[in-house]
Amino acid sequence: KKLKNPHMISMHCVAHKLALVANAAMDSSPELTAFETDISTICTFFSKSTKRQSGLKACFEACDNEVCYKMTHPSGTRWLSRAIALKAIFHNHANLIKYLKMTHRNEEGADYILRKLSSFSFLMQLTAMTDILGSLNLVSMAFQSDSLTHRAVTVIVDQVKASFRECYISVSHGSQTPCFQIKLRKLLSAVDLQMTERGVDTDEEIQEIVIEGNEISYSAGQRGSVETVLTQFVTRIESQLILMFPKDSTLVFSALDVLSPSMHCVEGNADEDDMDTDFLEALIVLQSHYGESKPGCEMFSSEDSTGKPVNSKTFKAYIDPELLEHEWLSVQGMLKKYSTLSAAEFWHVMIKKGLYPETCKLARILLLTPMNSACCERDFSAMNIIKSRLRNRLDSDLLNALMVC
């Protein structure tokens, strides 16, 4: 078996984990899986044809609308690319229908797409999913920051869970209707207003409603079904967030954040005594994890005289807990003094000067455990742009030089 040092810790890219949360929640719902297939069909229909793109752009210009959003096919590998595709369809929705009404008799597959876009259940799903995945996309952008800390991830995830619970899951706590986010609230308010003007009860079935000048087929039964699907979807997102971002597994990572200068910046009415208490608790976690000798894990073991298995290797303590505690007061003062520096800038100087050796050991771990792989992903994207199918004879040296430039 592979030897495993019990002092080692590993971190999965947080932006990728967030994408996995959305993927798992989507894949667990047959209705949303079918919806995702429809989104891919619509994006492919327009993105693969310059003629259709030009026709759609002409519809926008004729109606004096805002700029037409580019229709891009959602990628299975790009983080939350569904959010971009949904935003484009949502923004272009009214003009997509107008374009398809003019051309659907002459284009294969256009009839099916027109029926979908003119369905209230599809429009309701589109509006809600644009809200939900749009929110997750903003979180993903925050998770791709180079200055992200482990504690910040915990705070952001807790805020997202609370936000979704407030906005969507209120239906499971006694309320009759989920309290959806702004785009969907606006759509449902417009529908309810039309029903009131017609003197129709919200539970009655009507054939059609008008949204942005287009006739949309409507059914009260469809509306209730979609509300149930969306509420279940957001409940799954919350459970997946708890599964993918467990607090206990990030305890050591969060404790390492105490070595980041930005954590020692006192802002506003922050209580310095509370901050010092938090820092001391983090120091105890680090002393416990790195300051004790631990038996090797997943190792072949021998047997003692009684036949009990005995580990053949013990890993020594990585740091001296007493020396770390002795260094801490001086280190904390330096971190407060240079709180505007990044962790890399601060500890590069400390390590180079040979100051605070025990604390520098932990600082190396902090600097070598990035929160995300966004920087690497950007480099791969840049490489694919530079070394395209038409420039496939670029050698490694020239490619490296071009990427640095």
Side-chain angles (χ1 to χ4, degrees):
K1 292 182 180 180
K2 183 179 179 180
L3 298 181
K4 184 178 179 183
N5 188 330
H7 293 126
M8 288 177 62
I9 54 177
S10 60
M11 169 60 74
H12 188 164
C13 170
V14 289
H16 185 217
K17 286 205 292 186
L18 186 65
L20 294 178
V21 166
N23 291 346
M26 287 280 283
D27 293 342
S28 63
S29 170
E31 294 86 356
L32 291 179
T33 302
F35 170 75
E36 184 179 15
T37 302
D38 291 333
I39 292 296
S40 297
T41 301
I42 295 169
C43 290
T44 301
F45 182 81
F46 284 95
S47 64
K48 299 295 184 182
S49 170
T50 54
K51 178 183 175 183
R52 291 168 189 154
Q53 292 176 29
S54 299
L56 183 59
K57 186 177 179 181
C59 282
F60 270 81
E61 292 172 351
C63 299
D64 294 326
N65 287 111
E66 298 176 4
V67 178
C68 176
Y69 276 43
K70 185 178 180 181
M71 305 286 286
T72 56
H73 192 280
S75 167
T77 55
R78 295 184 68 86
W79 297 331
L80 294 169
S81 63
R82 293 188 189 99
I84 300 170
L86 287 169
K87 184 178 180 181
I89 296 176
F90 176 79
H91 179 83
N92 298 340
H93 182 264
N95 286 302
L96 286 173
I97 293 177
K98 289 171 184 174
Y99 171 78
L100 290 169
K101 281 182 176 178
M102 294 186 294
T103 62
H104 70 99
R105 291 184 180 85
N106 304 321
E107 304 228 35
E108 185 180 354
D111 271 329
Y112 174 80
I113 294 175
L114 180 59
R115 286 197 304 273
K116 278 294 175 185
L117 291 171
S118 302
S119 163
F120 182 75
S121 61
F122 177 86
L123 179 58
M124 189 173 170
Q125 284 179 313
L126 174 65
T127 307
M129 295 303 289
T130 302
D131 265 338
I132 298 168
L133 294 187
S135 298
L136 289 180
N137 201 37
L138 292 175
V139 176
S140 179
M141 295 301 293
F143 280 179
Q144 294 174 43
S145 168
D146 293 336
S147 58
L148 186 68
T149 63
H150 301 90
R151 291 192 181 190
V153 170
T154 302
V155 171
I156 291 171
V157 169
D158 287 342
Q159 289 175 346
V160 171
K161 287 188 289 189
S163 173
F164 280 145
R165 194 180 299 112
E166 255 179 52
C167 294
Y168 287 93
I169 311 179
S170 57
V171 72
S172 62
H173 298 288
S175 176
Q176 294 300 313
T177 307
C179 177
F180 293 114
Q181 289 183 324
I182 188 166
K183 290 186 178 69
L184 190 51
R185 286 205 305 269
K186 185 177 178 181
L187 173 65
L188 297 178
S189 297
V191 173
D192 292 340
L193 179 61
Q194 287 190 44
M195 290 183 170
T196 302
E197 291 174 348
R198 297 183 190 184
V200 179
D201 189 78
T202 53
D203 294 331
E204 292 184 31
E205 297 291 333
I206 58 176
Q207 295 298 315
E208 61 186 35
I209 55 175
V210 178
I211 302 292
E212 294 184 328
N214 293 310
E215 295 178 350
I216 305 294
S217 60
Y218 177 85
S219 165
Q222 287 180 343
R223 175 171 171 171
S225 299
V226 174
E227 285 182 352
T228 302
V229 169
L230 293 175
T231 304
Q232 291 172 348
F233 172 64
V234 180
T235 305
R236 292 189 190 102
I237 284 183
E238 186 186 26
S239 62
Q240 286 293 323
L241 284 170
I242 294 171
L243 181 66
M244 296 295 288
F245 295 92
K247 290 187 178 181
D248 292 345
S249 67
T250 59
L251 189 62
V252 178
F253 283 111
S254 297
L256 284 169
D257 280 340
V258 76
L259 302 177
S260 297
S262 60
M263 295 294 294
H264 297 262
C265 180
V266 181
E267 296 181 354
N269 298 321
D271 192 328
E272 289 194 48
D273 291 337
D274 288 344
M275 290 176 64
D276 289 341
T277 302
D278 291 341
F279 295 152
L280 288 175
E281 289 176 355
L283 198 66
I284 291 170
V285 171
L286 295 175
Q287 287 175 316
S288 173
H289 184 77
Y290 292 107
E292 299 176 0
S293 299
K294 296 185 178 183
C297 302
E298 298 181 7
M299 298 178 59
F300 289 112
S301 57
S302 57
E303 295 182 354
D304 61 13
S305 57
T306 62
K308 292 182 179 179
V310 177
N311 283 323
S312 57
K313 180 163 183 163
T314 298
F315 289 88
K316 295 181 180 179
Y318 185 65
I319 59 169
D320 186 322
E322 293 183 2
L323 287 178
L324 178 66
E325 190 172 351
H326 180 72
E327 292 176 359
W328 177 244
L329 288 177
S330 298
V331 170
Q332 189 174 13
M334 294 291 287
L335 289 167
K336 287 180 179 179
K337 184 177 180 180
Y338 297 101
S339 60
T340 56
L341 296 179
S342 69
E345 292 170 334
F346 178 85
W347 287 109
H348 175 74
V349 174
M350 295 297 110
I351 292 170
K352 190 174 182 180
K353 290 185 176 181
L355 301 173
Y356 315 118
E358 297 303 306
T359 315
C360 283
K361 290 179 183 178
L362 298 178
R364 287 189 178 94
I365 297 173
L366 173 69
L367 299 178
L368 291 172
T369 52
M371 292 294 298
N372 58 58
S373 59
C375 182
C376 300
E377 299 291 346
R378 293 189 193 106
D379 286 342
F380 284 127
S381 296
M383 181 181 69
N384 290 334
I385 291 170
I386 294 170
K387 189 171 183 177
S388 64
R389 184 168 54 86
L390 299 177
R391 304 176 71 188
N392 59 10
R393 296 185 68 184
L394 284 174
D395 60 27
S396 299
D397 293 336
L398 182 55
L399 178 60
N400 289 338
L402 290 171
M403 287 182 67
V404 170
C405 292

